[in-house]
Each structure stands twice: as structure tokens, then as C-alpha cells.
Amino acid sequence: MALRPVLQLPDKRLLQRSDEIEEITDAIRELAADMCDVMYDEPGIGLAAPQVGDPVRLIVVDTDWTEEDVEKSPLVLLNPELSEHDGKLLWKEGCLSVPDFEAEVERAERVLLRAQDLDGKELEIRAEGLQAVCFQHELDHLDGILFIDRISRLKRSRYVAKRKKQLKREAEED
Ligand SMILES: [Zn+2]
């Protein structure tokens, strides 16, 4: 089965706010499974539903997996919320929706995440470092925010200009 394509900048669908999930339907379970497939295939350590064109508040995260691992244990998080931000750090981030670019972003060092799992069970996860950064990055996607919205205007506009040129070149080659 073909994987769902990941939307990339400047797709406007990445900039919209995603809706709460009110009922855990088969479609939501299927979406979560598809998102995990995409995440491990890329590979990435997190993915938000709007990145595959479905504007609902669902993210999948796995900050422990490496390509040698056979066992996969993704966190599937519905309606995630963050509280108790604590500390600050700079982390070099990239994003499957923002090709060929990495930049340092200031994030909270520790967060408390609340969400539901696919059975509707309430989860509470204390995270720090990479996992905390990943939660913040993926939750931003649910509000239509990309990590390049959190870097300096100059760096952002340089990247956007480069990306536009690249897309133009690709269009000309086709
Ligand atoms: Zn991202």
C-alpha cells in the first residue's frame, strides 16, 4: 500500500489549526497507523496529522527508535496538551515538511504532556530533552506553526527564498 505523502512548505494546509478529536473512529485508528508507517519510513521521530493533510489533533512520536530496531513502540497521542514548561534549551530541529533545512530553536527543557491514547485512556507523560522538544514541535503543527516560525526573520526569509528558487527550478525541469 502506498504511504500517505507528507505535505511540504509552502502548502497552506500546514498553516491551519487542527480540530479536536471527539470520537475515536476506525478512520482515526487508520490515520494513526498510516502516520506511524510514514514516520518510520522517512525516518522521522515525530509526525502530526496535518502533515499528511488531515487537520485533526493527533501526533505520533518515537524518539527512541533506531533503524536497527525491530520492535517499534510509537506513542500515539490524541488531543495532546502541554503544561508545566520548565527550563530553556536550544535544539537543532528539522522537519519532514520543511525540506533541506535545520535551525536551532529555543524550547522548554521539560514539559508535562497530557493526551489520550487510541483507547481513550488519559495519559500523562513527563518529558525532557529530545522528547520534550519533539512534543513541542509536533504540537506546534496542530496550531499551524512550523519551527521556522520560531527562528529569526532573516534566517526564515533566506530559507523561504531558497526554497522558492528550488521549487521554480524543479517546475522548469518537469
Ligand atoms: Zn515538523
Side-chain angles (χ1 to χ4, degrees):
M1 208 192 68
L3 292 170
R4 294 190 195 221
V6 177
L7 306 184
Q8 294 187 325
L9 203 79
D11 198 307
K12 293 259 186 306
R13 286 172 289 176
L14 292 166
L15 309 180
Q16 60 183 333
R17 206 187 131 79
S18 293
D19 296 324
E20 291 278 318
I21 296 171
E22 279 163 25
E23 198 190 340
I24 302 165
T25 58
D26 285 345
I28 292 292
R29 277 185 277 267
E30 214 168 286
L31 172 63
D34 288 354
M35 284 168 59
C36 291
D37 289 346
V38 172
M39 175 174 71
Y40 291 115
D41 180 71
E42 286 281 348
I45 57 172
L47 190 71
Q51 290 181 277
V52 292
D54 213 331
V56 295
R57 302 187 83 79
L58 168 60
I59 64 174
V60 297
V61 170
D62 190 343
T63 48
D64 296 326
W65 186 76
T66 65
E67 278 177 80
E68 292 80 49
D69 287 349
V70 187
E71 279 304 309
K72 293 170 180 161
S73 44
L75 286 170
V76 175
L77 304 166
L78 284 66
N79 302 322
E81 280 173 28
L82 291 176
S83 60
E84 296 183 29
H85 297 71
D86 178 29
K88 274 200 178 97
L89 49 70
L90 276 176
W91 204 279
K92 194 178 243 184
E93 295 183 26
C95 178
L96 300 176
S97 298
V98 182
D100 310 316
F101 187 63
E102 284 184 338
E104 281 192 334
V105 183
E106 191 181 287
R107 299 285 190 184
E109 195 177 350
R110 284 173 292 275
V111 295
L112 175 65
L113 176 133
R114 286 202 179 87
Q116 287 116 45
D117 69 9
L118 276 177
D119 300 317
K121 205 178 92 190
E122 301 286 335
L123 302 174
E124 226 180 60
I125 302 170
R126 275 186 199 283
E128 58 176 32
L130 174 64
Q131 193 181 46
V133 168
C134 190
F135 284 165
Q136 292 167 80
H137 178 117
E138 300 310 332
L139 259 86
D140 270 355
H141 276 301
L142 303 182
D143 292 326
I145 298 167
L146 299 173
F147 80 96
I148 56 169
D149 298 323
R150 298 195 179 277
I151 63 177
S152 79
R153 197 174 283 208
L154 180 66
K155 274 192 200 155
R156 184 182 193 284
S157 56
R158 269 202 207 127
Y159 170 71
V160 171
K162 208 178 102 194
R163 172 86 180 135
K164 273 192 192 141
K165 253 192 228 159
Q166 186 198 353
L167 286 172
K168 206 174 144 216
R169 227 180 9 245
E170 281 173 17
E172 281 165 2
E173 280 165 10
D174 282 343

